[in-house]
């Protein structure tokens, strides 16, 4: 502000003349937060209109509740008003109020413009119960995390010399106590965390070994079916019949769904989407799309930008044109089905995990098509969005990568995935309740559908942020989570025998029950990614998948030896294990 104007303002104050006009808007601000430290909108703008210098003074409310980007200025300006995160986490649930007085410099604060600030703090949902088959052993508590999160693994390679047992035999994980059975020798893999490689009645596992796909016994590793024609990646096993599998867009027919009889080797065309009315060039499940508990299959047609849900029983497809969805074009990573019909909404969902945002559709059987439910949602708690939960232009929205869908005991259809947050700064395992629609990305404590299940990694450079994969059971409320030793495409040289840097939740396999009611840590998978392996070590990630009843996990491990992948099985203690 010019010196002359400032001088006039001061002179006017001394003579008792009216001070230069000032105003602040809005006249009230409302913040919402959770006792965990989550703030729905970290800062909000306060616009000040003034002809001269001004100050801001806080009222008689909690003195440390708010932060201001500036407490004085001159002329028109915008002040960022925020909630102090360190103060928030020390408070109980409730409503807190503070006032701000914006007044001319040299004036009376009690006669300034008053802005009322309200903060509602909701009680965080309880942390899950953390359980173990036996343990934990060799693990230590970590500040801000609810479990003894950092574990030392005995004889961990490198440089340890842990030797897995022979095929069909087991060992007990020394940290968490689960029984781990080796199903194959070196050179074998299963597919992804979804679709599950375990047949419906827990009899067989689809694996690839020495260039041949096989069905092996889930408990002994004995080869039950050789030369399986169904592909390793993207095959969806039948939800009721152990001897049936489906492949969407396999190599021999890129635009068809093929049905495989695993016992006889016979394959038939279930649906050909190259023909009218579809005329798709190719269809895919993106390698990781999963079917429902009653055999609905997802698919996308990338070139035609179509998304479909296919009913095996009715032999009918329901599709949507992604080109018509605002905010596109959308690049679909993979489509996936809800495990059943949502009990609350009565809708069957198909989700396109996509960039720049995931897309949720519901099946409209009467209309014979898919209906768009939501784009996104907005990733609240990260970035500078307006925190209304709706995915809008310029905001960071949830794409849904490395996720899977599951059904809770109340019939709600949910997605489980990992998300990064800035308030507080951490990487969390979360769930999204699909029937909440545009509110699915808002915290459940504030009336939305997002639940923070577990904090995995903290900010500040103290924790390694590992990659993770998620696979959920088709007919029970369980999901398995497998973390790696490092981030995406993180691999070490084969001659590097330096000790692993152990930080929270590295190289673990654990199962989540009922939307975060319980987390059961099962085993350290011991699988290290190396630079001299295929895909920069990607196939040494465990990619754990789960049986339909939640009783078994199947994963891969090289046990710290490059290119020595084995398929392993782990009993969870849930479901009905043999």
């Amino acid at each position: 502000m010019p010196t002359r104007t400032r001088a006039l303002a001061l002179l006017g104050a001394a003579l008792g003349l009216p001070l230069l006009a000032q105003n602040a808007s809005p006249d009230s601000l409302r913040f919402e937060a959770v006792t965990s430290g989550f703030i729905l909108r970290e800062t909000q703008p306060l616009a000040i209109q003034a002809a001269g210098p001004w100050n801001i003074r806080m009222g008689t409310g909690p003195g440390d509740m708010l932060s201001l980007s500036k407490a004085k200025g001159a002329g028109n300006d915008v002040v960022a008003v925020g909630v102090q995160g360190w103060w928030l986490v020390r408070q109980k649930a409730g409503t807190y109020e503070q006032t701000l007085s914006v007044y001319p410099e040299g004036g009376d604060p009690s006669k300034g413009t008053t802005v009322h600030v309200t903060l509602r703090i909701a009680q965080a949902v309880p942390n899950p119960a953390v359980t173990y088959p036996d343990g934990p052993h060799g693990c230590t508590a970590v500040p801000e995390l609810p479990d003894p999160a950092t574990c030392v693994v005995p004889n961990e390679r490198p440089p340890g010399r842990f030797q897995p047992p022979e095929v069909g035999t087991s060992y007990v994980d020394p940290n968490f106590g689960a029984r781990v059975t080796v199903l194959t020798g070196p050179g074998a893999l299963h597919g992804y965390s979804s679709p599950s490689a375990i047949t419906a009645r827990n009899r067989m596992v689809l694996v690839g070994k020495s260039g041949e796909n096989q069905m092996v016994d889930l408990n002994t590793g004995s080869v039950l079916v050789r030369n399986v024609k169904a592909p390793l990646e993207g095959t969806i096993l039948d939800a009721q019949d152990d001897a049936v599998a489906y492949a969407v867009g396999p190599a021999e027919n890129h635009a068809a769904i093929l049905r495989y009889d695993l016992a006889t080797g016979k394959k038939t065309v279930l649906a050909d989407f190259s023909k009218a009315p579809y005329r798709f060039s190719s269809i895919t499940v993106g390698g990781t799309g999963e079917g429902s508990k009653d055999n609905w299959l997802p698919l996308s047609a990338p070139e035609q930008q179509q998304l479909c849900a296919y009913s095996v029983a009715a032999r009918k497809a329901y599709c949507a044109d992604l080109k018509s969805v605002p905010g596109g074009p959308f690049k679909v990573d993979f489509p996936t089905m809800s495990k059943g019909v949502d009990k609350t909404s009565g809708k069957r969902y198909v989700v396109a995990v996509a960039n720049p945002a995931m897309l949720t559709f519901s099946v409209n059987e009467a209309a014979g098509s898919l209906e768009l439910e939501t784009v996104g949602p907005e990733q609240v708690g990260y970035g500078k969005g307006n925190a209304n939960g709706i995915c809008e232009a310029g905001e960071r929205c949830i794409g849904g990568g490395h996720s899977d869908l599951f059904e809770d005991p109340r019939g709600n259809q949910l997605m489980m995935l990992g998300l990064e947050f800035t308030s507080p700064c951490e990487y969390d395992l979360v769930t999204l309740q699909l029937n909440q629609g545009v509110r699915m990305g808002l915290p459940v404590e504030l009336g939305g559908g997002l639940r923070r299940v577990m904090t995995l990694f903290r900010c500040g450079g103290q924790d390694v942020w590992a990659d993770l994969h998620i696979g959920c059971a088709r007919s029970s409320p369980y999901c398995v989570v497998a973390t790696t030793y490092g981030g995406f495409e993180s691999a070490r040289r084969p001659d590097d025998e330096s000790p692993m840097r152990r930080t929270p939740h590295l190289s673990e396999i654990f199962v989540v029950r009922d939307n975060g009611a319980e987390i059961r840590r099962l085993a350290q998978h011991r699988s290290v990614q190396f630079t001299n392996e295929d895909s920069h070590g990607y196939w040494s990630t465990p990619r754990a998948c789960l049986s339909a009843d939640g009783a078994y996990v199947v994963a891969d491990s090289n046990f710290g030896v490059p290119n020595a992948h084995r398929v392993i099985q782990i009993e969870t203690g849930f479901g009905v294990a043999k």
Side-chain angles (χ1 to χ4, degrees):
M1 181 180 185
T3 303
R4 182 173 181 273
T5 304
R6 182 184 296 271
L8 289 173
L10 294 173
L11 176 62
L15 297 175
L17 300 175
L19 292 167
L20 297 174
Q22 50 73 43
N23 189 31
S25 63
D27 59 7
S28 65
L29 297 172
R30 180 177 177 82
F31 290 89
E32 293 185 287
V34 183
T35 54
S36 63
F38 177 86
I39 306 169
L40 187 58
R41 192 174 180 186
E42 293 184 72
T43 63
Q44 296 185 44
L46 181 66
I48 296 175
Q49 294 178 314
W54 49 263
N55 293 333
I56 301 179
R57 178 176 293 183
M58 294 192 189
T60 58
D64 295 325
M65 184 175 89
L66 300 178
S67 65
L68 303 174
S69 60
K70 59 181 68 176
K72 59 175 59 180
N76 296 341
D77 207 341
V78 176
V79 175
V81 181
V83 174
Q84 301 271 28
W86 63 267
W87 178 89
L88 167 64
V89 296
R90 300 179 182 181
Q91 311 308 310
K92 295 180 179 179
T95 300
Y96 300 81
E97 296 182 348
Q98 177 60 283
T99 59
L100 301 175
S101 177
V102 183
Y103 61 98
E105 184 179 275
D108 184 352
S110 66
K111 296 181 180 180
T113 300
T114 300
V115 178
H116 296 272
V117 182
T118 302
L119 168 64
R120 180 172 78 90
I121 305 177
Q123 181 63 47
V125 295
N127 286 323
V130 182
T131 63
Y132 307 82
D134 180 56
H137 304 290
C139 302
T140 57
V142 175
E144 304 169 24
L145 299 182
D147 58 333
T150 299
C151 303
V152 176
V153 182
N155 297 314
E156 182 178 45
R157 293 192 192 209
R161 292 295 179 261
F162 179 85
Q163 181 61 42
E166 297 298 318
V167 172
T169 58
S170 306
Y171 67 92
V172 174
D173 178 79
N175 292 104
F176 305 146
R179 186 161 71 94
V180 181
T181 301
V182 176
L183 296 183
T184 71
L189 294 166
H190 82 290
Y192 294 105
S193 292
S194 64
S196 178
I198 307 170
T199 58
R201 303 186 186 279
N202 296 347
R203 180 167 174 250
M204 298 185 291
V205 180
L206 175 62
V207 304
K209 182 172 172 53
S210 303
E212 177 186 86
N213 293 342
Q214 304 171 345
M215 303 301 298
V216 303
D217 187 279
L218 177 63
N219 287 285
T220 68
S222 300
V223 178
L224 301 178
V225 183
R226 294 190 178 277
N227 196 25
V228 174
K229 299 301 182 184
L232 187 65
E233 298 177 37
T235 288
I236 299 176
L237 299 172
D238 190 276
Q240 287 91 35
D241 192 336
D242 275 2
V244 175
Y246 308 98
V248 176
E252 59 266 43
N253 194 332
H254 293 301
I257 299 176
L258 299 189
R259 181 187 186 277
Y260 297 85
D261 187 315
L262 300 175
T264 65
K266 182 180 179 181
K267 60 182 178 181
T268 56
V269 175
L270 196 63
D272 188 346
F273 287 87
S274 67
K275 299 179 179 178
Y278 306 105
R279 303 191 187 282
F280 296 159
S281 305
S282 65
I283 60 174
T284 180
V285 289
T288 57
E290 176 65 291
S292 72
K293 63 183 179 181
D294 52 354
N295 284 331
W296 282 69
L297 309 179
L299 61 100
S300 68
E303 292 186 31
Q304 284 73 37
Q305 282 283 283
Q306 297 285 310
L307 179 75
C308 302
Y310 180 81
S311 168
V312 172
R315 295 205 171 191
K316 181 174 176 60
Y318 303 82
C319 300
D321 184 0
L322 301 185
K323 296 188 297 295
S324 66
V325 179
F330 295 92
K331 183 178 180 180
V332 177
D333 184 2
F334 65 92
T336 193
M337 293 296 306
S338 64
K339 296 303 189 279
V341 174
D342 188 89
K343 188 173 182 179
T344 301
S345 67
K347 296 178 179 180
R348 184 188 298 276
Y349 300 108
V350 56
V351 175
V353 172
N355 184 43
M358 61 181 270
L359 305 169
T360 303
F361 291 82
S362 60
V363 177
N364 187 330
E365 294 192 53
S369 61
L370 299 181
E371 290 187 356
L372 180 67
E373 296 286 329
T374 58
V375 178
E378 173 194 1
Q379 187 172 337
V380 297
Y382 187 101
K384 299 181 180 180
N386 59 14
N388 65 358
I390 301 171
C391 178
E392 297 167 310
E395 295 180 334
R396 183 183 177 110
C397 300
I398 295 175
H402 283 205
S403 64
D404 200 5
L405 307 184
F406 70 101
E407 180 179 290
D408 74 11
R410 293 155 292 283
N412 296 305
Q413 307 298 318
L414 301 106
M415 170 183 278
M416 182 172 288
L417 71 161
L419 286 180
E420 179 181 353
F421 293 91
T422 59
S423 62
C425 187
E426 59 193 32
Y427 188 89
D428 293 344
L429 184 68
V430 305
T431 60
L432 301 174
Q433 190 167 318
L434 301 184
N435 61 29
Q436 288 290 316
V438 296
R439 296 188 62 82
M440 79 166 76
L442 301 178
V444 294
E445 297 92 341
L446 302 177
L450 182 148
R451 172 169 179 164
R452 294 191 183 205
V453 174
M454 183 184 196
T455 299
L456 293 174
F457 318 120
R458 302 162 299 167
C459 292
Q462 56 194 333
D463 296 349
V464 173
W465 284 37
D467 194 12
L468 80 164
H469 293 85
I470 298 170
C472 298
R474 280 173 89 170
S475 56
S476 58
Y478 303 100
C479 294
V480 63
V481 180
T483 64
T484 62
Y485 279 94
F488 182 67
E489 292 190 345
S490 175
R492 66 163 49 201
R493 301 188 316 274
D495 60 347
D496 182 359
E497 293 192 350
S498 61
M500 297 292 186
R501 181 189 167 208
R502 300 300 309 187
T503 62
H505 302 127
L506 294 189
S507 60
E508 290 191 16
I509 295 176
F510 59 88
V511 170
V512 183
R513 176 179 67 83
D514 185 14
N515 195 17
E518 178 183 358
I519 288 177
R520 182 164 298 176
R521 297 166 79 185
L522 298 174
Q524 292 280 341
H525 56 72
R526 300 174 177 267
S527 195
V528 182
Q529 295 171 252
F530 291 101
T531 56
N532 65 335
E533 296 179 314
D534 288 345
S535 302
H536 204 65
Y538 175 79
W539 293 107
S540 287
T541 59
R543 308 177 317 284
C545 67
L546 194 60
S547 64
D549 63 352
Y552 294 96
V553 168
V554 163
D556 292 348
S557 178
N558 64 11
F559 293 98
V561 178
N563 298 296
H565 324 90
R566 292 168 170 84
V567 180
I568 59 175
Q569 174 255 89
I570 306 170
E571 293 183 10
T572 67
F574 298 121
V576 185
K578 296 180 182 178

